[in-house]
Amino acid sequence: MKKIAFFDTKPYDRKLFSNLSQQMGYDITFIEHRLTPETVSLADGHDATCSFVNDEVSAPVLEQLHKFGIGVVLLRCAGFDSVDLKKAAELGIKVLRVPSYSPAAVAEHAIALLQTVNRKTHIGYNRTTKFNFNINGLMGTVLDGKTAGVVGTGKIGKIAARILQGFGMNIIAYDIYKDLNSGLHYVELDELLAKSDVITLHVPLTPENNHMINKDSIAKMKDGVILINTSRGGLINTNDLLDAVKAGKFRGVGLDVCEKEHEYFFEDRSNEIMADDAMLKIAGYNNIVLTGHQAFFTEESMGAIAETTLQNFKAYLAGEKLVNEVK
Ligand code: NAD
């Protein structure tokens, strides 16, 4: 039976992957540690590793995997920034990923964040759990008739636009590649920033758009704008954002990602002293709502991730065409 060393295991991974791997005839060793040069020895005796966004598939790790005779790295996520692709290619190790699972999951979470910060349900909920039924300070705004700026009109952005249209919002969009069949009204980024009451980011993080939301772009936005980021933390200059929040620029900010997330996310840090000022401010401002990179986390997405990850392994073992190979 072929064996997979499964790193950074969470209880939900165990549940989802166990059944499917048994059906497909694979034996998974669930390891709670992240994959690092220190833990890679746990992969010895396996035929593949399976890793998530914070595992470190660096050159030293790949060299060890090669020594163990492991020829494939299965990523149970879309992003591959954790992998030294050059080294993997040099060693002939295949890197297979899950390019798309459920764009609707992420778009719907963006809307959940939007309506949380707009209607202040996070504050209302905290009050009612203490039997405080005062609604002072909880006034929101109606989205119907307002303008939403969708930055990035790929799989997720298009669904977000469709949902926002359902609220009766006027949609304007910005993308470096316009999809002229989408029916979306494209504008330049500056126009989108200036006209939008809600701005939602759905672009990948690239060297070109790192910190695309910064002091200058924030200054171009309307006062009282709502900003939502479910894409990548690096799209926003956190310090510039926090300065603007402090100055009262935003009605609300909803974040599922943040610049320092690699240091903190996916672990319970509630018993530690949080010494990071930016994280403290993000948690402290009551018009910012941060979730810990959970936009993708639905039953449907997780099922699709497990299915594709193991199908990728099956195709590799069968010598079939690797449609999800990262090169
Ligand atoms: P996609 O590839 O379908 O669409 C991305 C769009 O962004 C494309 O239309 C592309 O032309 C456009 N784009 C690329 N660079 C741009 C730039 N510099 N300026 C303007 N437009 C640009 O991707 P998707 O599936 O819609 O995913 C979007 C992003 O969502 C991902 O890159 C990822 O960062 C994020 N994401 C987050 C989660 C989560 O759980 N929070 C889960 C999945 C994806």
Side-chain angles (χ1 to χ4, degrees), residues 78 99-101 103 106 151-157 174-177 201-206 208-209 212 230-232 256-257 293-297:
S100 174
Y101 21 96
V106 182
V151 179
T153 57
K155 294 180 284 300
I156 298 171
Y174 169 73
D175 196 297
I176 42 171
Y177 300 108
L201 307 180
H202 300 292
V203 288
L205 177 63
T206 64
E208 293 74 43
N209 65 16
M212 70 186 292
T230 55
S231 280
R232 283 293 176 268
D256 187 51
V257 287
H293 207 138
Q294 68 173 79
F296 71 97
F297 195 47

Side-chain angles (χ1 to χ4, degrees), residues 73-86:
V73 164
L74 304 169
L75 301 176
R76 53 182 193 279
C77 54
F80 45 84
D81 43 302
S82 59
V83 186
D84 187 330
L85 288 176
K86 201 165 157 248

Side-chain angles (χ1 to χ4, degrees), residues 123-173:
I123 305 173
Y125 171 73
N126 276 336
R127 286 189 191 176
T128 57
T129 56
K130 295 174 185 67
F131 308 112
N132 174 357
F133 303 110
N134 185 346
I135 61 169
N136 190 33
L138 302 186
M139 200 184 294
T141 186
V142 163
L143 298 179
D144 190 12
K146 303 255 168 50
T147 298
V150 177
V151 179
T153 57
K155 294 180 284 300
I156 298 171
K158 280 204 187 80
I159 298 175
R162 197 182 72 209
I163 300 172
L164 292 166
Q165 247 158 2
F167 278 100
M169 298 194 81
N170 307 310
I171 310 298
I172 52 178

Side-chain angles (χ1 to χ4, degrees), residues 47 51 75 99 156-157 160 196-197 200 224 240 243 273 306 309 312 318:
D47 302 286
S51 59
L75 301 176
I156 298 171
S196 300
D197 301 293
T200 184
D240 289 356
D243 286 347
I273 301 286
T309 304
N312 284 344

